Amino acid sequence: MTPLRINLEQEDIPTHWYNIVADLANPPAPPLGPDGNPVPPEAMGAIFPGPILEQEMSAERWIAIPEEVRQIYALWRPAPLCRALRLEQALGTPAKIFYKYEGVSPAGSHKPNSAVPQAYFNKIAGTKRLTTETGAGQWGSSIAFAGQMFGLPVRVYMVKVSYEQKPFRRSMMQTWGAEVFASPSNLTNAGRAALAADPDNQGSLGLAISEAVEEAAADPGTCYTLGSVLNHVLLHQSVIGLEAKKQFDKIGLYPDVIFGPCGGGSSFGGIAFPFLADKAAGDKRATNLRCVAVEPTSCPTLTKGHYAYDYGDVSGYTPIMKMYTLGHDFMPPGIHAGGLRYHGDSPLVSQLLHEGRIEALAVPQIATFEAGVQFAQAEGIIPAPESCHAIRAAIDEALKCKITGEAKTILFSLTGHGHFDMASYDKYFSGKLEDYDYPEAAIAESLKHLPKVG
Ligand SMILES: *Cc1c(COP(=O)(O)O)cnc(C)c1O
C-alpha cells in the first residue's frame, strides 16, 4: 500500500533546532537603532530575556531543544507528513504531493512550535509576565497556551477588527488564562494616540506590536514575544523541516519543490531551511531543490517590496531591520488570511531571496479559497486561509507536471486548520469574497517613508 501518512515516534522529535545563519554566504545585516548603529543586545534586554537574545544573535548551526520543551512538543509532535494521493488523482497529475500538517497542535497551527520555547526561556530567565500582539488570533492563542504550560501570565493586544470578528479565538485565549484587549487600547501611549486621532481606529498588527512592546519596555518583569519574523522564531520552527526530512527518508523520497505560505516567514523558514542545509552541505538530492514562499497579491512583500531597512511596527518603536518591506505604514487590504497581512518579512527569508537561494510567488485571494476547497474535498482537512496560498501553488505546480509529464515530488506546508475561519469560507461560497488589485499607489506612498540609513 502507498504510504499515505508517514508517522514518527516520540523519540524522533528533534533534539536540536537548525540555525541557517551558520550556512549563509554573507553574515546577516544587523538590526540598527535610531542613531544608525547596530543595536547592542543589552538594549533589547528590556523586552527579551537573555536566552532568546542569544538565539537571536547566534551563528551556531545546532541549538539544543530543552527536554521541558520536547515534553510539551510531544503533546502533538512529531506532526504527520501525508501524501495527498486523492488530490493527485483528482488533478490527474503524475506529481506526488505531500503536506506537512501543523494543524494538529492545540492552537491549530505551527505557531506553538515557537510559543512553547519562548514561554520556557522567559520562565527560566525569571520573566513574570508576557505581552504580545495578535492579528487573526493564531499567535495570541499559541502564546496563551504556552504561557499556561509554564505558569506565565499572558496579556494579548488583539487587532480590534479581529477582536470583534473572531470572538472564538478570543475565548480560546481566555480558556488558556490570557488577558485579551482590543488594540488600539487605552492602556498604552501608542494606543491612546491612535484613539485620539481616530476613535474608530480598527487597529493593525503594526499598531498592536507598538502597544505590546511599549508595555514590556516600561515594566522590568514583563517581556515581549513575537510570533514570526525574528531569527529565533525561524530557529524554533525548524522542527517542521527536520521532521519532514526524517519522514521522507523513511519512504526513500526527496522533494523537488517546497511551497509554504509566507506572512512573517516563520513557517516557510521552518519547513524550507533544513532542506537548504542539505543543499549547503552538497547533498546531491538537494541540488535542484526549489523553495518557494507564497504570499497574497494584495500584500506582496517579497514580490513587490523593497529590500531595505525598515521598522517592524507602525510607530517606529522597534529597531530597523533589513528586509523586504512595503513600508511600515502600509495598511494591507482586509484579506481573510490575517496571518499574511504584514508589511515586512523575516530578514533571513529576505536575505535568501535577495541572494537567489529561494523564490517568491504571489497569488490572488479567490484562487486560494478555490484551492482550499478542492483540497478539503479530496483530503478532508479544511485548511486555514493562509495555508490555502501554499495549496494554490502546489496545485498549480502539479497541473504543470500534467502537461510536462514530470513526476515531481511536491511538498507544501499545511500550517493550520481553518475551523475558526469558516466565516471567510462563507464569504467565498456566497460570492462576496474580493480579489484586491495590487495596491500600487498605497505601497509607493508608504515606501517614501522608509527610514534613511547611512
Ligand atoms: C500565522 C500563520 C501563517 C503565517 O505566518 P508565518 O510566520 O509566515 O508562518 C501561516 N499559516 C497560519 C495557519 C498562520 O497562523
PDB file of all heavy atoms in Angstrom, residues 175-205:
ATOM      1  N   THR A 175      -9.600  30.845  27.670  1.00  0.00           N
ATOM      2  CA  THR A 175      -9.625  29.481  28.216  1.00  0.00           C
ATOM      3  C   THR A 175      -8.243  29.099  28.747  1.00  0.00           C
ATOM      4  O   THR A 175      -8.119  28.458  29.788  1.00  0.00           O
ATOM      5  CB  THR A 175     -10.063  28.478  27.126  1.00  0.00           C
ATOM      6  OG1 THR A 175     -11.322  28.878  26.617  1.00  0.00           O
ATOM      7  CG2 THR A 175     -10.159  27.066  27.681  1.00  0.00           C
ATOM      8  N   TRP A 176      -7.194  29.526  28.016  1.00  0.00           N
ATOM      9  CA  TRP A 176      -5.833  29.242  28.474  1.00  0.00           C
ATOM     10  C   TRP A 176      -5.325  30.314  29.456  1.00  0.00           C
ATOM     11  O   TRP A 176      -4.136  30.402  29.730  1.00  0.00           O
ATOM     12  CB  TRP A 176      -4.889  29.112  27.270  1.00  0.00           C
ATOM     13  CG  TRP A 176      -5.032  27.789  26.552  1.00  0.00           C
ATOM     14  CD1 TRP A 176      -5.040  26.551  27.125  1.00  0.00           C
ATOM     15  CD2 TRP A 176      -5.161  27.574  25.144  1.00  0.00           C
ATOM     16  NE1 TRP A 176      -5.173  25.582  26.153  1.00  0.00           N
ATOM     17  CE2 TRP A 176      -5.252  26.175  24.931  1.00  0.00           C
ATOM     18  CE3 TRP A 176      -5.204  28.416  24.025  1.00  0.00           C
ATOM     19  CZ2 TRP A 176      -5.385  25.609  23.653  1.00  0.00           C
ATOM     20  CZ3 TRP A 176      -5.335  27.847  22.767  1.00  0.00           C
ATOM     21  CH2 TRP A 176      -5.426  26.464  22.581  1.00  0.00           C
ATOM     22  N   GLY A 177      -6.240  31.149  29.935  1.00  0.00           N
ATOM     23  CA  GLY A 177      -5.899  32.039  31.039  1.00  0.00           C
ATOM     24  C   GLY A 177      -5.329  33.392  30.663  1.00  0.00           C
ATOM     25  O   GLY A 177      -4.899  34.148  31.537  1.00  0.00           O
ATOM     26  N   ALA A 178      -5.317  33.754  29.387  1.00  0.00           N
ATOM     27  CA  ALA A 178      -4.724  35.033  28.992  1.00  0.00           C
ATOM     28  C   ALA A 178      -5.728  36.177  29.118  1.00  0.00           C
ATOM     29  O   ALA A 178      -6.940  35.979  29.054  1.00  0.00           O
ATOM     30  CB  ALA A 178      -4.223  34.952  27.553  1.00  0.00           C
ATOM     31  N   GLU A 179      -5.192  37.396  29.325  1.00  0.00           N
ATOM     32  CA  GLU A 179      -5.998  38.622  29.254  1.00  0.00           C
ATOM     33  C   GLU A 179      -5.941  39.128  27.817  1.00  0.00           C
ATOM     34  O   GLU A 179      -4.844  39.201  27.243  1.00  0.00           O
ATOM     35  CB  GLU A 179      -5.368  39.730  30.100  1.00  0.00           C
ATOM     36  CG  GLU A 179      -5.435  39.574  31.590  1.00  0.00           C
ATOM     37  CD  GLU A 179      -4.713  40.768  32.230  1.00  0.00           C
ATOM     38  OE1 GLU A 179      -3.461  40.807  32.179  1.00  0.00           O
ATOM     39  OE2 GLU A 179      -5.408  41.651  32.753  1.00  0.00           O
ATOM     40  N   VAL A 180      -7.074  39.521  27.266  1.00  0.00           N
ATOM     41  CA  VAL A 180      -7.106  39.965  25.871  1.00  0.00           C
ATOM     42  C   VAL A 180      -7.722  41.364  25.791  1.00  0.00           C
ATOM     43  O   VAL A 180      -8.806  41.592  26.335  1.00  0.00           O
ATOM     44  CB  VAL A 180      -7.932  38.993  24.997  1.00  0.00           C
ATOM     45  CG1 VAL A 180      -7.768  39.344  23.524  1.00  0.00           C
ATOM     46  CG2 VAL A 180      -7.538  37.549  25.254  1.00  0.00           C
ATOM     47  N   PHE A 181      -7.011  42.292  25.133  1.00  0.00           N
ATOM     48  CA  PHE A 181      -7.518  43.654  24.939  1.00  0.00           C
ATOM     49  C   PHE A 181      -7.597  43.974  23.460  1.00  0.00           C
ATOM     50  O   PHE A 181      -6.711  43.584  22.695  1.00  0.00           O
ATOM     51  CB  PHE A 181      -6.590  44.682  25.603  1.00  0.00           C
ATOM     52  CG  PHE A 181      -6.456  44.476  27.081  1.00  0.00           C
ATOM     53  CD1 PHE A 181      -5.356  43.810  27.599  1.00  0.00           C
ATOM     54  CD2 PHE A 181      -7.442  44.927  27.952  1.00  0.00           C
ATOM     55  CE1 PHE A 181      -5.238  43.596  28.961  1.00  0.00           C
ATOM     56  CE2 PHE A 181      -7.327  44.718  29.312  1.00  0.00           C
ATOM     57  CZ  PHE A 181      -6.221  44.056  29.825  1.00  0.00           C
ATOM     58  N   ALA A 182      -8.652  44.706  23.075  1.00  0.00           N
ATOM     59  CA  ALA A 182      -8.741  45.172  21.693  1.00  0.00           C
ATOM     60  C   ALA A 182      -7.725  46.296  21.508  1.00  0.00           C
ATOM     61  O   ALA A 182      -7.604  47.178  22.352  1.00  0.00           O
ATOM     62  CB  ALA A 182     -10.145  45.667  21.396  1.00  0.00           C
ATOM     63  N   SER A 183      -6.991  46.256  20.390  1.00  0.00           N
ATOM     64  CA  SER A 183      -5.994  47.289  20.085  1.00  0.00           C
ATOM     65  C   SER A 183      -6.452  48.101  18.879  1.00  0.00           C
ATOM     66  O   SER A 183      -6.848  47.527  17.881  1.00  0.00           O
ATOM     67  CB  SER A 183      -4.645  46.628  19.784  1.00  0.00           C
ATOM     68  OG  SER A 183      -3.766  47.566  19.193  1.00  0.00           O
ATOM     69  N   PRO A 184      -6.433  49.429  18.930  1.00  0.00           N
ATOM     70  CA  PRO A 184      -5.816  50.271  19.954  1.00  0.00           C
ATOM     71  C   PRO A 184      -6.602  50.265  21.265  1.00  0.00           C
ATOM     72  O   PRO A 184      -7.823  50.285  21.273  1.00  0.00           O
ATOM     73  CB  PRO A 184      -5.813  51.663  19.319  1.00  0.00           C
ATOM     74  CG  PRO A 184      -6.838  51.627  18.243  1.00  0.00           C
ATOM     75  CD  PRO A 184      -6.929  50.209  17.781  1.00  0.00           C
ATOM     76  N   SER A 185      -5.841  50.257  22.386  1.00  0.00           N
ATOM     77  CA  SER A 185      -6.436  50.263  23.718  1.00  0.00           C
ATOM     78  C   SER A 185      -6.092  51.571  24.423  1.00  0.00           C
ATOM     79  O   SER A 185      -5.268  52.351  23.935  1.00  0.00           O
ATOM     80  CB  SER A 185      -5.869  49.104  24.533  1.00  0.00           C
ATOM     81  OG  SER A 185      -4.551  49.428  24.956  1.00  0.00           O
ATOM     82  N   ASN A 186      -6.682  51.744  25.605  1.00  0.00           N
ATOM     83  CA  ASN A 186      -6.358  52.917  26.425  1.00  0.00           C
ATOM     84  C   ASN A 186      -5.194  52.660  27.368  1.00  0.00           C
ATOM     85  O   ASN A 186      -4.872  53.497  28.203  1.00  0.00           O
ATOM     86  CB  ASN A 186      -7.583  53.304  27.242  1.00  0.00           C
ATOM     87  CG  ASN A 186      -8.443  54.285  26.467  1.00  0.00           C
ATOM     88  OD1 ASN A 186      -7.913  55.225  25.880  1.00  0.00           O
ATOM     89  ND2 ASN A 186      -9.741  54.042  26.435  1.00  0.00           N
ATOM     90  N   LEU A 187      -4.556  51.482  27.247  1.00  0.00           N
ATOM     91  CA  LEU A 187      -3.531  51.090  28.223  1.00  0.00           C
ATOM     92  C   LEU A 187      -2.143  51.624  27.897  1.00  0.00           C
ATOM     93  O   LEU A 187      -1.257  51.578  28.726  1.00  0.00           O
ATOM     94  CB  LEU A 187      -3.468  49.562  28.308  1.00  0.00           C
ATOM     95  CG  LEU A 187      -4.757  48.859  28.752  1.00  0.00           C
ATOM     96  CD1 LEU A 187      -4.637  47.360  28.578  1.00  0.00           C
ATOM     97  CD2 LEU A 187      -5.064  49.196  30.196  1.00  0.00           C
ATOM     98  N   THR A 188      -1.932  52.070  26.653  1.00  0.00           N
ATOM     99  CA  THR A 188      -0.578  52.491  26.257  1.00  0.00           C
ATOM    100  C   THR A 188      -0.628  53.855  25.568  1.00  0.00           C
ATOM    101  O   THR A 188      -1.687  54.272  25.080  1.00  0.00           O
ATOM    102  CB  THR A 188       0.034  51.492  25.250  1.00  0.00           C
ATOM    103  OG1 THR A 188      -0.751  51.529  24.039  1.00  0.00           O
ATOM    104  CG2 THR A 188       0.052  50.065  25.791  1.00  0.00           C
ATOM    105  N   ASN A 189       0.540  54.512  25.502  1.00  0.00           N
ATOM    106  CA  ASN A 189       0.624  55.788  24.782  1.00  0.00           C
ATOM    107  C   ASN A 189       0.303  55.604  23.309  1.00  0.00           C
ATOM    108  O   ASN A 189      -0.398  56.416  22.710  1.00  0.00           O
ATOM    109  CB  ASN A 189       2.037  56.380  24.909  1.00  0.00           C
ATOM    110  CG  ASN A 189       2.323  56.809  26.347  1.00  0.00           C
ATOM    111  OD1 ASN A 189       1.406  57.211  27.075  1.00  0.00           O
ATOM    112  ND2 ASN A 189       3.582  56.700  26.766  1.00  0.00           N
ATOM    113  N   ALA A 190       0.849  54.519  22.725  1.00  0.00           N
ATOM    114  CA  ALA A 190       0.611  54.265  21.296  1.00  0.00           C
ATOM    115  C   ALA A 190      -0.880  54.101  21.037  1.00  0.00           C
ATOM    116  O   ALA A 190      -1.426  54.651  20.070  1.00  0.00           O
ATOM    117  CB  ALA A 190       1.378  53.019  20.838  1.00  0.00           C
ATOM    118  N   GLY A 191      -1.553  53.362  21.912  1.00  0.00           N
ATOM    119  CA  GLY A 191      -2.982  53.114  21.739  1.00  0.00           C
ATOM    120  C   GLY A 191      -3.788  54.388  21.929  1.00  0.00           C
ATOM    121  O   GLY A 191      -4.686  54.697  21.133  1.00  0.00           O
ATOM    122  N   ARG A 192      -3.448  55.145  22.989  1.00  0.00           N
ATOM    123  CA  ARG A 192      -4.186  56.384  23.264  1.00  0.00           C
ATOM    124  C   ARG A 192      -4.011  57.393  22.128  1.00  0.00           C
ATOM    125  O   ARG A 192      -4.970  58.060  21.721  1.00  0.00           O
ATOM    126  CB  ARG A 192      -3.738  56.988  24.604  1.00  0.00           C
ATOM    127  CG  ARG A 192      -4.316  56.232  25.816  1.00  0.00           C
ATOM    128  CD  ARG A 192      -3.962  56.920  27.134  1.00  0.00           C
ATOM    129  NE  ARG A 192      -2.533  56.861  27.429  1.00  0.00           N
ATOM    130  CZ  ARG A 192      -1.961  55.928  28.201  1.00  0.00           C
ATOM    131  NH1 ARG A 192      -2.701  54.990  28.771  1.00  0.00           N
ATOM    132  NH2 ARG A 192      -0.658  55.943  28.412  1.00  0.00           N
ATOM    133  N   ALA A 193      -2.786  57.468  21.573  1.00  0.00           N
ATOM    134  CA  ALA A 193      -2.552  58.406  20.466  1.00  0.00           C
ATOM    135  C   ALA A 193      -3.390  58.011  19.254  1.00  0.00           C
ATOM    136  O   ALA A 193      -3.989  58.869  18.587  1.00  0.00           O
ATOM    137  CB  ALA A 193      -1.061  58.423  20.097  1.00  0.00           C
ATOM    138  N   ALA A 194      -3.455  56.722  18.980  1.00  0.00           N
ATOM    139  CA  ALA A 194      -4.225  56.253  17.816  1.00  0.00           C
ATOM    140  C   ALA A 194      -5.710  56.551  18.015  1.00  0.00           C
ATOM    141  O   ALA A 194      -6.401  56.976  17.085  1.00  0.00           O
ATOM    142  CB  ALA A 194      -3.991  54.765  17.584  1.00  0.00           C
ATOM    143  N   LEU A 195      -6.189  56.359  19.249  1.00  0.00           N
ATOM    144  CA  LEU A 195      -7.613  56.601  19.525  1.00  0.00           C
ATOM    145  C   LEU A 195      -7.941  58.090  19.497  1.00  0.00           C
ATOM    146  O   LEU A 195      -9.025  58.483  19.070  1.00  0.00           O
ATOM    147  CB  LEU A 195      -8.005  55.997  20.873  1.00  0.00           C
ATOM    148  CG  LEU A 195      -8.088  54.464  20.897  1.00  0.00           C
ATOM    149  CD1 LEU A 195      -8.293  53.959  22.323  1.00  0.00           C
ATOM    150  CD2 LEU A 195      -9.202  53.951  19.981  1.00  0.00           C
ATOM    151  N   ALA A 196      -6.989  58.905  19.938  1.00  0.00           N
ATOM    152  CA  ALA A 196      -7.213  60.351  19.907  1.00  0.00           C
ATOM    153  C   ALA A 196      -7.332  60.825  18.470  1.00  0.00           C
ATOM    154  O   ALA A 196      -8.165  61.681  18.150  1.00  0.00           O
ATOM    155  CB  ALA A 196      -6.067  61.075  20.620  1.00  0.00           C
ATOM    156  N   ALA A 197      -6.508  60.245  17.589  1.00  0.00           N
ATOM    157  CA  ALA A 197      -6.544  60.649  16.178  1.00  0.00           C
ATOM    158  C   ALA A 197      -7.798  60.125  15.496  1.00  0.00           C
ATOM    159  O   ALA A 197      -8.343  60.771  14.597  1.00  0.00           O
ATOM    160  CB  ALA A 197      -5.291  60.135  15.459  1.00  0.00           C
ATOM    161  N   ASP A 198      -8.236  58.947  15.893  1.00  0.00           N
ATOM    162  CA  ASP A 198      -9.411  58.337  15.263  1.00  0.00           C
ATOM    163  C   ASP A 198     -10.051  57.351  16.239  1.00  0.00           C
ATOM    164  O   ASP A 198      -9.596  56.223  16.392  1.00  0.00           O
ATOM    165  CB  ASP A 198      -8.983  57.609  13.967  1.00  0.00           C
ATOM    166  CG  ASP A 198     -10.143  56.822  13.361  1.00  0.00           C
ATOM    167  OD1 ASP A 198     -11.302  57.020  13.785  1.00  0.00           O
ATOM    168  OD2 ASP A 198      -9.888  56.018  12.448  1.00  0.00           O
ATOM    169  N   PRO A 199     -11.150  57.786  16.895  1.00  0.00           N
ATOM    170  CA  PRO A 199     -11.791  56.927  17.908  1.00  0.00           C
ATOM    171  C   PRO A 199     -12.286  55.599  17.322  1.00  0.00           C
ATOM    172  O   PRO A 199     -12.488  54.641  18.061  1.00  0.00           O
ATOM    173  CB  PRO A 199     -12.976  57.774  18.395  1.00  0.00           C
ATOM    174  CG  PRO A 199     -12.702  59.165  17.948  1.00  0.00           C
ATOM    175  CD  PRO A 199     -11.804  59.095  16.761  1.00  0.00           C
ATOM    176  N   ASP A 200     -12.463  55.543  15.983  1.00  0.00           N
ATOM    177  CA  ASP A 200     -12.960  54.310  15.356  1.00  0.00           C
ATOM    178  C   ASP A 200     -11.835  53.475  14.749  1.00  0.00           C
ATOM    179  O   ASP A 200     -12.094  52.571  13.963  1.00  0.00           O
ATOM    180  CB  ASP A 200     -13.970  54.650  14.251  1.00  0.00           C
ATOM    181  CG  ASP A 200     -15.247  55.221  14.842  1.00  0.00           C
ATOM    182  OD1 ASP A 200     -15.612  54.779  15.942  1.00  0.00           O
ATOM    183  OD2 ASP A 200     -15.829  56.117  14.211  1.00  0.00           O
ATOM    184  N   ASN A 201     -10.607  53.815  15.093  1.00  0.00           N
ATOM    185  CA  ASN A 201      -9.460  53.067  14.562  1.00  0.00           C
ATOM    186  C   ASN A 201      -9.677  51.561  14.747  1.00  0.00           C
ATOM    187  O   ASN A 201      -9.925  51.095  15.860  1.00  0.00           O
ATOM    188  CB  ASN A 201      -8.198  53.518  15.301  1.00  0.00           C
ATOM    189  CG  ASN A 201      -6.934  52.969  14.671  1.00  0.00           C
ATOM    190  OD1 ASN A 201      -6.853  51.794  14.372  1.00  0.00           O
ATOM    191  ND2 ASN A 201      -5.955  53.849  14.489  1.00  0.00           N
ATOM    192  N   GLN A 202      -9.583  50.810  13.641  1.00  0.00           N
ATOM    193  CA  GLN A 202      -9.848  49.365  13.685  1.00  0.00           C
ATOM    194  C   GLN A 202      -8.600  48.549  14.036  1.00  0.00           C
ATOM    195  O   GLN A 202      -8.668  47.338  14.159  1.00  0.00           O
ATOM    196  CB  GLN A 202     -10.413  48.884  12.338  1.00  0.00           C
ATOM    197  CG  GLN A 202     -11.825  49.385  12.066  1.00  0.00           C
ATOM    198  CD  GLN A 202     -12.805  48.924  13.140  1.00  0.00           C
ATOM    199  OE1 GLN A 202     -13.091  47.721  13.249  1.00  0.00           O
ATOM    200  NE2 GLN A 202     -13.289  49.845  13.956  1.00  0.00           N
ATOM    201  N   GLY A 203      -7.483  49.268  14.177  1.00  0.00           N
ATOM    202  CA  GLY A 203      -6.263  48.588  14.588  1.00  0.00           C
ATOM    203  C   GLY A 203      -5.517  47.955  13.435  1.00  0.00           C
ATOM    204  O   GLY A 203      -6.044  47.815  12.341  1.00  0.00           O
ATOM    205  N   SER A 204      -4.251  47.625  13.697  1.00  0.00           N
ATOM    206  CA  SER A 204      -3.432  46.918  12.714  1.00  0.00           C
ATOM    207  C   SER A 204      -2.389  46.153  13.503  1.00  0.00           C
ATOM    208  O   SER A 204      -2.152  46.440  14.686  1.00  0.00           O
ATOM    209  CB  SER A 204      -2.737  47.893  11.773  1.00  0.00           C
ATOM    210  OG  SER A 204      -1.708  48.580  12.471  1.00  0.00           O
ATOM    211  N   LEU A 205      -1.758  45.205  12.850  1.00  0.00           N
ATOM    212  CA  LEU A 205      -0.739  44.407  13.528  1.00  0.00           C
ATOM    213  C   LEU A 205       0.406  45.312  13.996  1.00  0.00           C
ATOM    214  O   LEU A 205       0.883  45.206  15.123  1.00  0.00           O
ATOM    215  CB  LEU A 205      -0.226  43.334  12.567  1.00  0.00           C
ATOM    216  CG  LEU A 205       0.320  42.068  13.197  1.00  0.00           C
ATOM    217  CD1 LEU A 205      -0.633  41.473  14.209  1.00  0.00           C
ATOM    218  CD2 LEU A 205       0.643  41.049  12.108  1.00  0.00           C
TER     219      LEU A 205
END
